[in-house]
Amino acid sequence: VEDPAPEETTEADLPFIDGYRVKVTVTSARIRSEASLARDDNVVGGAFEGDVFDVLGTSGSFYVIDFEGRKAFISGTVVDYGPFEKTEPETTVPPTTVPPSTRPKTNYQPTNTLTVCIDAGHRRGGGISETEPNGPGSSVMKAKLTTGTQGLAERPEHEVNLEVAVKLQAILEARGYTVVMVRDYSNPDCTLSNAERAQFANSVQAGAFVRIHCNGSSDESVHGALTYSPSPSNPYMGPGLINESIRLSNEVRLGVIAATGAKDCGNLYSDEMTGINWCEVPVTIIEMGFMTNREEAVLLCDDAYQNQIAEGMADGLDRYFNR
């Protein structure tokens, strides 16, 4: 898991004191365009544990927050409420970058190359707490790499991600693709950060960059597969690349759903992931299932189910490349 995960809530009377803020208390949480959990298409972004937002008011069991300059909603069950201070972001930015508003956004043209770059999310050996910019030119700094989840599974996420990635590699190579691995069994401790992994995919001119992850939630009942893509207003990408990334995400996810029968949790937009924002090639993050759900925790560690996931991803890539 790298970022937001679905959460549940119940109706509650929420306090509102002018000047107070909310702080996220779970690993990740969804931010929505309306105060409702009944739909998946109202998710506009996500937040990490410790993120602080200004509160504009309340709406039922949701806080109304200022999210990137616009009104949004977050469940009251995934935040604390109090006189929290906003942490000023570090300002160290690589000198080669420019602010997102002036960064040239090339009109990406889909490539015919059948090169797929696969990133088995996270690494053996834990996360990397040093920070890097959220995207080119951004002053918002994020951890270079998080540890990942395990939940109720018998193995940690980084192991499961790698097992599926290697299976996908074999299937794609048998279908005639060129596959480049960010992390494999020869390099399970890969120290590349999320931004560096994206730049690696750029350097090999991948036709698609598939980032493989498992998910987690504070609610054990949540299950299913989902993808993340840049939003249509992503400040780091041009519209062509955004559209291709959204199309890639949908094809890969629907392939997994068809192959496994898992619940379709949809494609979620996020502009808060360095592993997306640094990409100059089409990118998707596939969250294969929830390790915090008892049934999916078992399935995600099962060899046969992993093969189904990998076959589904490959089928989705075939459709993406019009094969």
Side-chain angles (χ1 to χ4, degrees), residues 268-290:
L268 307 183
Y269 297 135
S270 177
D271 298 333
E272 305 302 319
M273 297 184 181
T274 51
I276 288 178
N277 295 337
W278 284 88
C279 280
E280 298 172 1
V281 297
V283 56
T284 184
I285 297 176
I286 174 73
E287 301 276 3
M288 301 179 288
F290 284 78

Side-chain angles (χ1 to χ4, degrees), residues 300-314:
L300 289 167
C301 295
D302 179 75
D303 185 71
Y305 190 77
Q306 289 181 356
N307 281 324
Q308 291 177 350
I309 293 174
E311 288 283 354
M313 289 185 194

